[in-house]
Each structure stands twice: as structure tokens, then as C-alpha cells.
DNA sequence: ATAAATGCAAATCGTTTGCAACGGA
DNA sequence: TCCGTTGCAAACGATTTGCATTTAT
């Protein structure tokens, strides 16, 4: 499914579906969530597949362009991507102790998004909401 | 006020309040909002004051440490800081056409933050909510 | 006088890009 | 064959850091 979309997207632009791009797409899909370019690159090498960092970066940009993945946020260690296609929109809680991410959906938040935009005459396209704090597990550890 | 806080913070750490730090603090306060290190640096030079980029970066980190400013987000062009001390918490709408930022406060959002954390057993410390889209002015321009 | 802060330039780190070699169509 | 793609290494841009010099206390 995603493969077809990507191939179609490339074809439309007169571009090619190479084995490097295939490998990058495959590993991207294997994440079902967040990842960063460097770990994707390493994952590809581990599997014996080949693709340079340059190709990883170039291909991730293409995957963003065609909407299969999104840039979620930039951290001090680089960009976090998310494989989003077909996923319902959701938001994040980020544990500042262990770094884990909890995803959640909130209808109330979507409604609030609409309401706030109306009030400000803003045409909202999308949003990100991130709550930072301590996850269940980390609350128990001493600080 | 802010100056006193900064000096006190430095004193506690056995550090000094130099003229460079004074200049950086002063210009930081002059923003009443968002700014990035490079424009702060330029603003200082324009005024005839002196401070190197290195000192700007070093001092911004100190100002974050003592809570007078916050890192808001990272963009492809660098980190956006915000002078927050004594400001009420607020969130942002970011126009993806002109880059302008609208600040707003929402009690509903604060309540939602609490509700979501309770539901997930997460101890939320703070959050960021950013709506991206088109501001009033830019909606009128052709796209 | 002493330890901390400065400015500079070099170092880092994630990411992009120029280019010659390579490979799908 | 033709043109897009690759990998490499160099280039980039924001930020940090090592070091000799300056300066606050």
C-alpha cells in the first residue's frame, strides 16, 4: 500500500524506485512510530541492506513530501520523524526522565483546536501538543 | 527585577555579572517575546555594545537555567527563545506563510492538560501547543 | 591576586550538496 | 543510451569548546 503510493509519487515526478529507496521505505515502515535518521541508517546496515546516510536523508525528505511520514520535532540530537500514513492524528506525552513517548488521541483537543482558531480568525491546518513530565514508571524512581 | 534575579543566581554559583552579560540581559528583556541568538547578537552590536556570539550563547544558557527565558522550539534556522519571566503561560499559533506568531491563553487547554495527565497516570510538568496554519492577513493573499 | 569570563578560531554534529561513477528505464 | 541516483567527501550552519588573554572581585 505505502509502497504503491511512494512509487506512484516518484513516477509522477519522473523519479525512480531504487533498491536504496526500497530499503529505506521498508525500514521506515517497520517503526510504526517515531525514529530518527541515524537509527534508521544503522538499522539498514544491520540488516545487510545498503544505503548511505546521504540517501537516507534524501529519501526521508521525499517520504515527507508525499505524506507518508512527518517531521515531529527537532531535538538537540536531530530531527524526530514519525510514520503517520493512515494513522489517526494523535499527540504526545514525553517523559523527561526516560525519554519515552506516550501517544494519545483527544477529541476534546481537536474541538479546542477548532474553537481557538475560530476565535482568532486563524485558519488552522494542523497542530502539535506535547506534554512533558514523568511517566508512570519514572514517577516511582527517586529523583 | 530580572537583573536582580540574574545577579543573585550568578552570585549563588560564584559567577560574575560582567558588562557582556548585562548587555545580553538588557537586550533579551527588550524583546518582550520571541527571539533567536543571532538577532540578539546583531542587536547588541547595533547598539554599540559588545559581546561575542560565544558569550551570547553562553549567557542564554545561563538565563534558561535561572528561568528568565525558555527555549520555545528548534527550527531549521536555529533555536527560538522566549522571554517568559512573570509571563502567564500561553501557547502559539504559527503562520506557515509569513512566519508570524500569535500568542494565546486558554483555560480550557490547561484543564485538558490536567485531565489527560490524570487519565494516563502521567505527571505533567508543562506543555507546548502549537497550531500551524494561515493568519488572518495571509488567508487573503493568493496561494 | 586569583579565578572566572571573554573573544577567537577550531571543533562538533546533524544535514545538505557537488561530483564522478553507477544503474534503471 | 539517457538521465536520475548513489556514495563519498567536502560544505554548511548553528552551537560549543579549548585556550591564551582580560577582568571582576
Amino acid at each position: 500500500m505505502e509502497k504503491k503510493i511512494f512509487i506512484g509519487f516518484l513516477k509522477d515526478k519522473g523519479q525512480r524506485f531504487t533498491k536504496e529507496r526500497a530499503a529505506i521505505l521498508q525500514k521506515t515502515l517497520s517503526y510504526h512510530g517515531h525514529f530518527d535518521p541515524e537509527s534508521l541508517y544503522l538499522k539498514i546496515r544491520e540488516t545487510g541492506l545498503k544505503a548511505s546516510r546521504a540517501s537516507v536523508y534524501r529519501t526521508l525528505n521525499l517520504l515527507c513530501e508525499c505524506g507518508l511520514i512527518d517531521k515531529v520535532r527537532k531535538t538537540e540530537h536531530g530531527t524526530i520523524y514519525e510514520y503517520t500514513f493512515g494513522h489517526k492524528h494523535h499527540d504526545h506525552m514525553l517523559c523527561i526522565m526516560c525519554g519515552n513517548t506516550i501517544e494519545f488521541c483527544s477529541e476534546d483537543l481537536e474541538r479546542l483546536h477548532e474553537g481557538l482558531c475560530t476565535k482568532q480568525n486563524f485558519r488552522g491546518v494542523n497542530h502539535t501538543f506535547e506534554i512533558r513530565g514523568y511517566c508512570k514508571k519514572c514517577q516511582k524512581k527517586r529523583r
Side-chain angles (χ1 to χ4, degrees), chain A residues 23-54:
Chain A
I24 294 164
L25 174 62
Q26 183 203 314
K27 293 306 172 197
T28 291
L29 298 185
S30 79
Y31 274 106
H32 298 294
H34 299 149
F35 65 94
D36 63 277
E38 181 66 12
S39 14
L40 177 59
Y41 169 71
L42 294 174
K43 193 174 221 184
I44 287 170
R45 311 228 91 196
E46 279 167 18
T47 332
L49 294 169
K50 59 179 257 312
S52 63
R53 280 193 183 79

Side-chain angles (χ1 to χ4, degrees), chain A residues 6 16 28 33-34 72 74 80 90 102 113-114 117 132 134 141:
Chain A
F6 192 35
R16 294 165 189 167
T28 291
H34 299 149
V72 180
K74 303 206 150 226
I80 307 293
H90 60 259
I102 298 167
H113 170 125
E114 293 308 325
C117 289
R132 287 176 297 278
Y134 299 92
K141 298 175 193 162

Side-chain angles (χ1 to χ4, degrees), chain A residues 10-29:
Chain A
L10 290 171
K11 195 153 280 173
D12 285 353
K13 299 182 57 173
Q15 299 183 190
R16 294 165 189 167
F17 188 65
T18 62
K19 30 184 178 326
E20 287 81 2
R21 288 177 179 175
I24 294 164
L25 174 62
Q26 183 203 314
K27 293 306 172 197
T28 291
L29 298 185

Side-chain angles (χ1 to χ4, degrees), chain A residues 96-97 133-135 137-143:
Chain A
I96 56 184
M97 201 161 188
Y134 299 92
C135 72
K137 279 184 189 170
C138 289
Q139 287 171 49
K140 289 173 190 154
K141 298 175 193 162
R142 69 163 150 57
R143 277 194 301 281

